[in-house]
């Protein structure tokens, strides 16, 4: 059987790294992106530039590919659903319908008897009058949030008067967890009960943006097993195909919570490129293109640092040792808080 041509919706750093992984497997890729400067076009075999609701552009893209995947979860469900009628979309669109909506996502997780933070839906301002129980908390938009965007810390009911919030968007209010640590699990599911799962990754955030990740995570065996089990249950329940990330909180009493699910390759998994025999990106391509599943082997412990905003300029001029791997996302414009690249260091 000849190898499929992989269509990737989204052309940022995740799309780039997927395309690079596909190249290595001799899988051709076509990127579809609404940014004419999309970095991933440099690594792909084809590029279609267009808005995600432009039917002519979607058709042009679909003509060129055999299977479709995506690098970010905020593509409208309807779009993915329509595409799926013409070419298979993996992971399947119904996964996105659940996960791109914070309330549906949390309800889904709780229905599996997996712990999340405590939360309440907020549809209008008056509902904020009776939420004392959930404070201090974080008010998050139901959809389209990432890197802490669309989040408002709420300390007390009094503090609400000082924040300007457009309640018509729909929100979830989450009780703030007293964090000891954050970890994530990256898992690639190929088919029923067929997985490759990476060891838990420990993550450090600042201002709700991921700064550093490392393996091994310094956690108890109990949390290690629990987090792997929950990630496996989630991906199985979703009948997921491809790479998925589950983000977890650990509180000061060593309770584990699922924070959120990312139905895609994930920033915390970038270190898998250098620290494992098969990266999260390669595994995603293997799963969605139905290639062979290869048992994971760790090559080394590692840490990864995100390079944000104008920090990138220092890194571009540095020299690196053989244990350091610098990735420049080749984004045209440097923006404050924008992820511009990362550095992975292999450690013993
Ligand atoms: P995003 O979609 O922007 O990644 P998250 O819900 O993962 O949104 O929030 C980003 C970060 O903000 C988390 O990784 C964590 O550091 C912090 N955070 C979010 N929700 C909570 C919470 N309920 N309690 C404590 N910290 C939180
Ligand atoms: Mg997150």
């Amino acid at each position: 059987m000849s190898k499929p041509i992989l269509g990737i919706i989204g052309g940022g750093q995740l799309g780039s790294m997927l395309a690079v992984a596909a190249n290595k497997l001799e899988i051709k890729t076509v990127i579809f992106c609404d940014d004419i400067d999309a970095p991933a076009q440099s690594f792909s075999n084809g590029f279609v530039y267009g808005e995600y609701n432009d039917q002519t552009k979607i058709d042009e893209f679909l003509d060129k590919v055999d299977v479709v995947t995506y690098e970010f979860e905020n593509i409208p469900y309807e779009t993915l659903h329509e595409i799926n009628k013409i070419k298979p979309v993996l992971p399947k669109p119904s996964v996105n319908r659940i996960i791109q909506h914070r309330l549906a996502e949390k309800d889904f997780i709780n229905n599996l008897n997996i712990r999340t933070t405590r939360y309440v839906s907020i549809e209008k301002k008056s509902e904020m009058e009776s939420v004392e129980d959930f404070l201090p908390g974080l008010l998050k938009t139901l959809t389209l949030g990432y890197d802490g965007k669309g989040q408002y810390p709420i300390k007390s009911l009094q503090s609400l008067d000082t924040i300007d919030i457009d309640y018509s968007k729909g929100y979830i209010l989450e009780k703030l967890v007293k964090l000891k640590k954050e970890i994530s699990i990256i898992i690639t599911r190929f088919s029923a009960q067929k997985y490759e799962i990476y060891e838990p990754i420990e993550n450090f955030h600042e201002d709700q943006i991921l700064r550093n990740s490392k393996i091994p995570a310094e956690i108890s065996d109990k949390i290690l097993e629990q987090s792997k089990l929950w990630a496996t249950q989630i991906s199985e329940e979703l009948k997921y195909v491809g790479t998925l990330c589950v983000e977890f909180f650990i509180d000061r009493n060593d309770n584990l919570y699922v924070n959120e699910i990312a139905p895609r390759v994930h920033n915390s998994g970038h270190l898998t490129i250098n620290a494992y025999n098969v990266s999260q990106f390669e595994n995603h391509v293997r799963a969605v293109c139905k290639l062979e599943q290869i048992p994971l082997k760790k090559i080394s412990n590692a840490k990864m640092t995100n390079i944000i905003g104008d920090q990138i300029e220092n890194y571009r001029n540095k020299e690196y040792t053989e244990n350091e791997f610098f990735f420049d996302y080749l984004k045209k414009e440097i923006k404050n808080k924008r992820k511009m690249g990362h550095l992975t260091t292999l450690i013993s």
Side-chain angles (χ1 to χ4, degrees), residues 9-10 15 23 64 67 95 105 113 121 124 130 139 172 217 226 253 259 277 319 332:
I9 306 178
N23 278 339
K64 296 178 198 278
V67 54
V95 166
E105 178 188 32
N113 281 324
S121 149
K124 45 184 186 291
S130 51
L139 191 69
I172 184 171
Q226 182 88 77
N253 297 321
N259 167 28
N277 61 333
E319 289 201 15
K332 254 196 153 166

Side-chain angles (χ1 to χ4, degrees), residues 73 102 106 117-118 137-138 140 145-149 151 174-179 182 205-209 247 249 259-260 266:
E73 62 268 42
R102 289 193 194 272
K106 284 217 168 39
T117 56
R118 292 187 50 232
L138 265 180
K140 304 182 180 178
Y146 68 98
D147 288 346
K149 292 192 171 63
Q151 299 192 8
E174 276 181 47
K175 175 99 174 171
L176 215 55
V177 173
K178 293 202 172 89
L179 290 179
E182 293 187 63
H205 291 80
E206 242 173 56
D207 301 332
Q208 288 122 322
I209 300 182
E247 299 178 11
F249 295 147
N259 167 28
E260 62 172 351
H266 192 261

Side-chain angles (χ1 to χ4, degrees), residues 326-338:
F326 168 55
F327 294 77
D328 188 336
Y329 301 157
L330 306 174
K331 292 184 183 173
K332 254 196 153 166
E333 216 186 321
I334 297 178
K335 282 193 203 156
N336 189 22
K337 295 196 173 176
R338 188 176 219 190

Side-chain angles (χ1 to χ4, degrees), residues 31-199:
I31 304 285
F32 178 35
C33 189
D34 64 357
D35 173 7
I36 195 156
D37 296 321
Q41 62 190 286
S42 316
F43 306 100
S44 64
N45 305 90
F47 177 55
V48 176
Y49 161 62
E51 294 300 322
Y52 296 130
N53 56 8
D54 181 338
Q55 195 56 49
T56 318
K57 290 293 171 178
I58 293 175
D59 291 342
E60 187 190 326
F61 169 65
L62 291 181
D63 271 349
K64 296 178 198 278
V65 303
D66 300 308
V67 54
V68 175
T69 191
Y70 42 89
E71 67 150 12
F72 68 112
E73 62 268 42
N74 288 329
I75 307 155
Y77 163 75
E78 296 307 331
T79 308
L80 290 182
H81 181 66
E82 289 306 311
I83 292 177
N84 195 35
K85 291 179 184 163
I86 302 162
K87 297 281 165 77
V89 175
L90 290 170
K92 61 189 161 92
S94 56
V95 166
N96 264 42
R97 190 166 46 177
I98 301 171
I99 292 176
Q100 68 188 192
H101 191 280
R102 289 193 194 272
L103 207 55
E105 178 188 32
K106 284 217 168 39
D107 288 345
F108 164 77
I109 299 166
N110 278 287
N111 284 336
L112 297 176
N113 281 324
I114 293 175
R115 191 186 300 116
T116 64
T117 56
R118 292 187 50 232
Y119 59 99
V120 59
S121 149
I122 301 288
E123 290 174 0
K124 45 184 186 291
K125 186 165 187 198
S126 60
E127 288 173 344
M128 290 296 285
E129 286 160 15
S130 51
V131 295
E132 215 126 0
D133 235 21
F134 295 86
L135 300 180
L138 265 180
L139 191 69
K140 304 182 180 178
T141 49
L142 285 177
T143 56
L144 301 176
Y146 68 98
D147 288 346
K149 292 192 171 63
Q151 299 192 8
Y152 304 88
I154 313 282
K155 286 206 182 82
S156 63
L157 288 183
Q158 292 76 4
S159 66
L160 273 177
D161 299 334
T162 58
I163 321 172
D164 190 23
I165 297 168
D166 170 11
Y167 283 93
S168 67
K169 282 185 175 168
Y171 290 87
I172 184 171
L173 176 66
E174 276 181 47
K175 175 99 174 171
L176 215 55
V177 173
K178 293 202 172 89
L179 290 179
K180 178 169 157 192
K181 259 178 215 284
E182 293 187 63
I183 59 169
S184 55
I185 294 271
I186 311 256
I187 180 167
T188 307
R189 182 177 179 275
F190 286 73
S191 58
Q193 307 298 336
K194 294 235 180 300
Y195 314 95
E196 291 302 325
I197 186 161
Y198 297 86
E199 71 177 71

